Amino acid sequence: MIVRSVDDVNGTDRDVKHGNWRSRRMILAKEGVGFSFHETVLYAGTETTMWYANHVELVHCIEGEAELTNEETGEKHIITPGTLYLLDGHEKHTLRIKEDFRVLCVFNPPVTGREVHDENGVYPLIVEEPESEDTAVS
């Protein structure tokens, strides 16, 4: 069993900060559960284009507001608390953040926490073996 709070993650290598966002990676590939789970905040007034060519991502908004644009179709959606979106077709997308946007994200395959978006907004696929139970951090 793993029990972990955001306070446990703050200030560690699981607390990843970028100009447009901050992502606290609560569960990563090394936990060996088949997905990763993150709490991410994207900041008001920013715009971020991403393309998870190697991952499926589910995003559930719990605070704030953003406009989501599917860059392949031009379709736009307003995302507010209680709304989720699933990038099940590896869609290239852009988020325009109207007010700080706090979301819970699930990635499959799981990320390692070392990924960074490349020039196309893509995370590379990094495969990592799970830690044994003797070395897992809880």
Side-chain angles (χ1 to χ4, degrees):
M1 177 186 298
I2 297 170
V3 176
R4 183 174 291 134
S5 75
V6 290
D7 288 337
D8 296 333
V9 171
N10 288 339
T12 71
D13 60 350
R14 291 172 180 261
D15 186 1
V16 178
K17 299 172 186 172
H18 183 272
N20 291 355
W21 50 264
R22 175 185 187 187
S23 181
R24 290 177 280 199
R25 280 86 189 267
M26 305 297 291
I27 301 295
L28 293 169
K30 65 183 168 185
E31 272 83 44
V33 296
F35 62 88
S36 58
F37 179 80
H38 317 186
E39 179 181 297
T40 300
V41 176
L42 293 99
Y43 302 116
T46 63
E47 181 175 308
T48 305
T49 299
M50 296 167 276
W51 176 35
Y52 295 116
N54 301 309
H55 300 84
V56 170
E57 183 190 27
L58 180 139
V59 178
H60 183 239
C61 176
I62 58 175
E63 186 177 314
E65 183 177 334
E67 178 186 78
L68 169 69
T69 302
N70 180 333
E71 294 298 339
E72 297 167 17
T73 66
E75 187 176 13
K76 296 178 189 267
H77 304 274
I78 298 299
I79 309 297
T80 56
T83 305
L84 67 78
Y85 60 93
L86 177 65
L87 300 165
D88 59 339
H90 306 281
E91 296 85 358
K92 187 173 187 177
H93 60 288
T94 299
L95 284 168
R96 289 173 189 83
I97 309 305
K98 297 179 179 212
E99 56 185 63
D100 283 0
F101 188 61
R102 189 161 61 112
V103 293
L104 304 176
C105 308
V106 177
F107 280 85
N108 186 19
V111 301
T112 66
R114 298 185 310 274
E115 294 82 357
V116 271
H117 293 105
D118 68 13
E119 65 279 359
N120 296 309
V122 175
Y123 274 167
L125 181 59
I126 302 173
V127 177
E128 180 172 85
E129 293 299 315
E131 290 182 346
S132 70
E133 285 187 32
D134 296 335
T135 61
V137 176
S138 60

